[in-house]
Amino acid sequence: MNFFLGVIPDDSANHKVRKVVGEIGRVFDGQQIPVRWVNPDTFHVTLLFVGKDISPLRLFLVKRKIKKISFKHFKISFKAVKLGISRRYKELVYLSINNGEEEMRLITEQLDLKGDIRGANSFTPHLTLGRVSKELTEEEYKNLSKDLDMMSKSIDIENISFEVNEIFLIKSKDNGYDIVMNCLAS
């Protein structure tokens, strides 16, 4: 089980993201590249990865930190569909963030004052759509990246947005996730 802090798109944004997955799925199908798509019911933007199978004491301490978070309502919008969030993690298919990134970064900084929560320093907010199920060649990676860039422009991804009024501590499971706690905007 993984624990993370995240935000969940509203129904309207979720529906639009589902349409994006349908459109870009054709790009991968056309190049015969298998992808494990994320269950649309679990779409979320991860703010911070807290840990895997964390102890009850650590969970208690994280919850205590989350209760102290202060943030104002903000809006998240998306920029484009991308492939590979880093050199080590080329198989990730995701929506990059256009607006809301700075607000999310400020939230993670409140949690990671001592640098004891993993991942805060390498924060790259995104919404995961899927993961490529095979090792991509350089040529496949370049071709897919170009196709996704062109597709992003034609789908009008920048019009997908949602308001963030609360953030959630989420525990992921094999068949979905559970909300452990929430924190409302001030």
Side-chain angles (χ1 to χ4, degrees):
M1 279 180 277
N2 292 322
F3 290 84
F4 60 91
L5 194 65
V7 295
I8 300 170
D10 61 28
D11 290 341
S12 173
N14 184 294
H15 180 72
K16 292 174 184 175
V17 172
R18 288 173 192 238
K19 285 184 173 182
V20 168
V21 170
E23 292 290 322
I24 65 166
R26 292 188 288 192
V27 170
F28 289 93
D29 290 344
Q31 295 188 35
Q32 298 178 342
I33 306 288
V35 177
R36 296 179 320 275
W37 298 107
V38 170
N39 176 348
D41 295 331
T42 64
F43 285 149
H44 65 276
V45 176
T46 300
L47 299 177
L48 185 69
F49 177 72
V50 176
K52 186 174 183 142
D53 296 326
I54 60 178
S55 71
L57 175 60
R58 179 149 165 80
L59 181 59
F60 171 77
L61 294 173
V62 168
K63 283 180 172 181
R64 206 163 87 184
K65 278 186 175 184
I66 291 171
K67 286 180 185 176
K68 296 177 183 176
I69 293 174
S70 175
F71 70 98
K72 297 199 180 311
H73 302 270
F74 64 97
K75 187 177 200 170
I76 291 178
S77 65
F78 300 101
K79 190 184 309 183
V81 178
K82 298 285 186 180
L83 177 64
I85 203 157
S86 70
R87 289 182 193 207
R88 265 190 22 217
Y89 204 32
K90 285 185 176 179
E91 71 272 10
L92 188 72
V93 182
Y94 67 97
L95 284 174
S96 62
I97 302 295
N98 191 28
N99 292 312
E101 187 170 345
E102 187 57 32
E103 291 87 344
M104 290 185 280
R105 192 174 313 282
L106 292 172
I107 291 169
T108 63
E109 287 173 0
Q110 289 180 61
L111 283 172
D112 198 43
L113 298 174
K114 296 179 186 171
D116 59 347
I117 295 181
R118 211 169 46 179
N121 296 332
S122 59
F123 175 66
T124 305
H126 65 279
L127 189 147
T128 300
L129 301 175
R131 288 170 184 78
V132 174
S133 297
K134 72 171 232 153
E135 187 75 29
L136 295 173
T137 66
E138 276 304 312
E139 190 65 30
E140 287 173 324
Y141 179 78
K142 286 179 187 176
N143 289 340
L144 285 168
S145 294
K146 285 179 188 176
D147 289 349
L148 291 175
D149 282 343
M150 289 187 332
M151 183 72 86
S152 292
K153 292 172 186 157
S154 70
I155 299 175
D156 200 21
I157 290 170
E158 292 181 6
N159 283 330
I160 302 173
S161 65
F162 63 98
E163 292 290 325
V164 176
N165 301 316
E166 62 185 321
I167 56 175
F168 301 93
L169 177 61
I170 300 170
K171 175 175 68 173
S172 67
K173 306 183 304 183
D174 290 338
N175 59 346
Y177 57 67
D178 288 331
I179 305 294
V180 177
M181 71 175 293
N182 69 326
C183 179
L184 296 171
S186 51

